[in-house]
Amino acid sequence: MIMSVHRHNSADDNRHSVTAVFGFHQDSDPQALHAPVLVLNASYEPINICAARRAIVLVLKGVAMTEEENGHFLHAARLALRVPSVIRLLEYRRIPHQTRALSRKNILLRDRNICQYCGDPLAASDLTLDHVVPRSRGGLSSWENLVACCHPCNRRKGNHLPVEAGMKLMREPHAFNLHTSRHIMRLMGRSDDKWRKYLFY
Ligand SMILES: [Zn+2]
């Protein structure tokens, strides 16, 4: 299936039906499929951020409904769909203590792409993961033992403990729990009017 996305330019786009904009392909912006969407629980409690593509799938499957739109449309076959900015799950979901899988992406997200030794904010491609207690010395690959780290700091630390290398962690690494998620959602939502009303209460 070929999909394309464009910004809808009408000032009064709320009145356009889904089918009325079919075929409108100017100003294509595939990035919109990756735009972040705030996910609310059925109780309106913010619980996650996902990519627009996944949010649309959740809406199409009837698992979630759109609460806010981001002004873009997604075209798929004969359909034009409004790209959501905020969706809400239709059934209340219990959120386990730890909601995210341990992955490089999530470690970088938790550490906000900041080297945890020197404090430099960097592109994901300029960061690596550092085992605080090196693997060679029994350190585990866990939320508590992995941190975002720039390459110079990683080389400097080598197979040492931070204290041996004269380095200090900016903060103790911990699991990416709902509290961390909320903090990040607030950071991301600060500039987004549509998110703010769900995040700051
Ligand atoms: Zn560094």
Side-chain angles (χ1 to χ4, degrees):
M1 180 160 53
I2 294 167
M3 293 176 170
S4 68
V5 167
H6 68 83
R7 177 167 277 284
H8 188 60
N9 292 315
S10 166
D12 190 20
D13 60 9
N14 284 335
R15 290 173 178 272
H16 286 250
S17 74
V18 154
T19 47
V21 294
F22 167 68
F24 192 91
H25 282 273
Q26 290 103 308
D27 207 8
S28 198
D29 181 10
Q31 280 305 106
L33 269 186
H34 305 287
V37 174
L38 182 64
V39 183
L40 307 175
N41 213 335
S43 57
Y44 286 91
E45 178 190 20
I47 51 172
N48 205 355
I49 295 168
C50 71
R53 180 192 287 270
R54 170 148 176 79
I56 288 166
V57 169
L58 291 174
V59 170
L60 289 177
K61 282 165 76 177
V63 173
M65 64 175 284
T66 298
E67 290 288 336
E68 306 284 344
E69 293 156 357
N70 76 0
H72 289 79
F73 280 84
L74 166 79
H75 293 273
R78 295 176 58 82
L79 269 179
L81 300 162
R82 292 172 185 280
V83 180
S85 169
V86 179
I87 60 168
R88 184 169 62 88
L89 300 177
L90 295 177
E91 269 180 42
Y92 184 80
R93 207 174 280 183
R94 243 174 226 290
I95 306 302
H97 179 65
Q98 189 173 312
T99 55
R100 284 174 184 263
L102 179 67
S103 67
R104 172 186 152 84
K105 194 177 137 224
N106 283 336
I107 296 275
L108 295 186
L109 190 60
R110 180 197 66 187
D111 294 343
R112 276 167 258 148
N113 278 23
I114 292 171
C115 171
Q116 293 300 293
Y117 294 104
C118 68
D120 277 353
L122 293 163
S125 53
D126 292 326
L127 286 163
T128 182
L129 295 187
D130 175 64
H131 284 78
V132 179
V133 177
R135 260 181 303 190
S136 60
R137 298 168 68 171
L140 301 174
S141 295
S142 65
W143 284 105
E144 293 78 12
N145 196 46
L146 284 168
V147 293
C149 183
C150 72
H151 292 288
C153 284
N154 193 239
R155 276 193 296 273
R156 188 179 145 203
K157 185 165 168 286
N159 271 335
H160 298 104
L161 297 171
V163 65
E164 295 169 345
M167 298 164 84
K168 198 172 178 305
L169 280 170
M170 298 184 64
R171 53 178 191 157
E172 207 58 42
H174 50 79
F176 197 149
N177 56 25
L178 193 57
H179 177 77
T180 323
S181 303
R182 285 230 179 88
H183 185 64
I184 287 167
M185 287 189 278
R186 288 210 177 92
L187 285 174
M188 290 182 73
R190 207 168 268 174
S191 60
D192 192 322
D193 282 341
K194 288 179 173 167
W195 287 26
R196 215 173 313 167
K197 64 182 167 193
Y198 301 99
L199 292 171
F200 299 90
Y201 51 81

